[in-house]
Amino acid sequence: MGRSAILAGVFVLAFPAFGAASGIMDNSPRPAERGTESTAESRAFEAWVNDFRPRAVAEGIREDTFERAFRDVRFNTDVIERDRNQGEFTRAIWDYLDSAVSDRRVENGRDVLDEHREVLEAIEERYGVAPEIVVAVWGVESSYGDYRGDTAIIEALATLAHEGRRGDFFEEQLIGALRIIQDGDVAPEEMTGSWAGAMGHTQFIPTSYLSYAVDFRGTGERDIWSDDPTDALASTASYLAEHGWTRDQPWGVEIDLPAGLEGQQDRRPVSEWRDDGVTLADGSTLPDHGSAQLFLPAGIEGPAFLTFENFEVIKRYNPADAYAMAIGHLADRIGGADGFNGDWPRDDRPLTSDERRELQERLTARGFDTKGIDGRVGPNTVAAVRAFQTAEGMAPDGYVSHDLLDRLR
């Protein structure tokens, strides 16, 4: 899948490899209504289900499991509409963080941390992941369990697999969901979640559930669907630990960046950043938590950060930088930290999809190849922007803005 990017202060949505689509999108509750499909769509979907059945059986899914899971399943046009619309959805990072790390979400996070402190500390003892991080994932993914999704997972995944834009991925998830049902972990009618197939308090997709979900309560079931969030929270910590979480290491720190370092993108030891005059935003000495990388989500006009390896681990849950930043910052705020010192360039309107394509076309025409014209600001586009900025004598921060586009024009 294409990775979501929050480079140059704007992120473009794509379904994450792990965790939920809701984690990077609006968490407000939505009705689980089915769209009305045409007769032709219905017939095509039925034909796809018949073709899929032997593939599922070949993967070890029993016929009775298949029949039970697909009873009343039909093509859901509402799921397709939401999938197609997400690729065009863009927000500035400051707008996203205003929502993901709102004062209300911070306050609610502190409340649930107190409520579940005993189990969260037990989870930390086993997996080494701080309670604040686990609670932050819970908050961003489902608003602490309030909005877990009520879409039928089998129908959603079958619809997306049939539609074909990412058919192989969703078919893999569908077989995983059928395996979960076959193993007796949940009944088909109780397997609900997001339109994109993610489930439970912390929105696991089926293959992640099969690989990383845990029975922390010792009931014999890995239950991420019930009102008791224990197994879901422990499963999140298990996932992060399995992907390399370092105990007591922060996701990142806000810094005061001396002029001339904007283009420094290599991951380097903290000692080297200190030698270059980098301090924390309040002027104090940088803490040494291992190698760190410069992160300028809004260019030199916004706050500057150094991120540690745990930032990359969070991105294994959802690959968008914005998501990882929201999780880290929400965890910090729940733990008592203040907001950022630096100000966001809130007057800077994000580029539209058409404007991003134009920027890519103009960069490539000037000899700064973006490796494709797709309207998505990913690593190749950022590299091209930095090369152009360097050639023009600008600070090479990789930030995509209207000023940059105007200069290219």
Side-chain angles (χ1 to χ4, degrees), residues 385-398:
V385 168
R386 287 200 184 101
F388 172 76
Q389 290 171 323
T390 299
E392 293 288 304
M394 304 166 64
D397 59 10

Side-chain angles (χ1 to χ4, degrees), residues 288-309:
D288 192 348
H289 293 286
S291 62
Q293 187 167 19
L294 182 62
F295 179 40
L296 300 174
I300 60 173
E301 298 301 322
F305 305 87
L306 289 180
T307 62
F308 300 99
E309 291 291 347

Side-chain angles (χ1 to χ4, degrees), residues 206-270:
T207 53
S208 292
Y209 172 92
L210 289 169
S211 297
Y212 303 105
V214 297
D215 171 23
F216 198 77
R217 296 181 299 169
T219 62
E221 298 177 340
R222 300 180 293 176
D223 187 359
I224 65 173
W225 295 274
S226 73
D227 289 337
D228 184 343
T230 299
D231 283 356
L233 300 179
S235 297
T236 295
S238 166
Y239 182 93
L240 294 172
E242 288 290 331
H243 286 87
W245 187 265
T246 300
R247 185 189 291 265
D248 297 327
Q249 183 188 79
W251 68 274
V253 291
E254 188 180 1
I255 61 170
D256 181 19
L257 185 69
L261 294 180
E262 301 88 355
Q264 174 56 256
Q265 291 300 306
D266 294 336
R267 182 171 291 278
R268 302 194 295 164
V270 166

Side-chain angles (χ1 to χ4, degrees), residues 63-234:
E63 287 280 359
D64 64 313
T65 299
F66 194 96
E67 289 294 336
R68 184 160 61 104
F70 272 83
R71 187 177 299 127
D72 298 327
V73 166
R74 61 188 176 99
F75 186 74
N76 189 324
T77 56
D78 186 59
V79 167
I80 296 300
E81 181 68 19
R82 294 175 70 177
D83 177 56
R84 288 175 179 170
N85 284 340
Q86 68 159 338
E88 297 299 318
F89 182 81
T90 62
R91 293 169 72 186
I93 186 170
W94 46 91
D95 289 335
Y96 174 65
L97 292 176
D98 285 348
S99 174
V101 194
S102 66
D103 289 343
R104 181 178 179 182
R105 184 162 286 171
V106 171
E107 182 180 349
N108 290 344
R110 291 171 180 168
D111 289 343
V112 299
L113 177 61
D114 287 342
E115 180 183 354
H116 299 279
R117 187 174 297 278
E118 184 175 350
V119 71
L120 287 163
E121 288 177 349
I123 289 170
E124 180 183 22
E125 182 176 356
R126 181 176 301 183
Y127 298 108
V129 182
E132 292 82 1
I133 287 290
V134 176
V135 169
V137 174
W138 189 17
V140 172
E141 291 290 356
S142 70
S143 288
Y144 310 112
D146 285 347
Y147 308 131
R148 284 169 265 170
D150 53 8
T151 300
I153 293 297
I154 296 298
E155 180 166 286
L157 291 173
T159 296
L160 291 165
H162 160 65
E163 190 266 348
R165 186 175 67 85
R166 295 182 54 215
D168 291 344
F169 171 79
F170 285 113
E171 187 166 311
E172 179 187 14
Q173 298 309 314
L174 180 54
I175 290 173
L178 292 170
R179 187 163 288 122
I180 292 168
I181 293 170
Q182 185 164 281
D183 290 346
D185 289 359
V186 66
E189 59 273 14
E190 296 173 359
M191 182 183 266
T192 58
S194 80
W195 64 267
M199 307 172 293
H201 288 266
T202 55
Q203 298 287 278
F204 267 50
I205 58 174
T207 53
S208 292
Y209 172 92
L210 289 169
S211 297
Y212 303 105
V214 297
D215 171 23
F216 198 77
R217 296 181 299 169
T219 62
E221 298 177 340
R222 300 180 293 176
D223 187 359
I224 65 173
W225 295 274
S226 73
D227 289 337
D228 184 343
T230 299
D231 283 356
L233 300 179

Side-chain angles (χ1 to χ4, degrees), residues 29-48:
R30 299 174 185 265
E33 297 176 353
R34 290 171 169 175
T36 302
E37 77 278 17
S38 68
T39 301
E41 286 173 336
S42 178
R43 289 174 178 168
F45 181 67
E46 289 174 7
W48 180 88

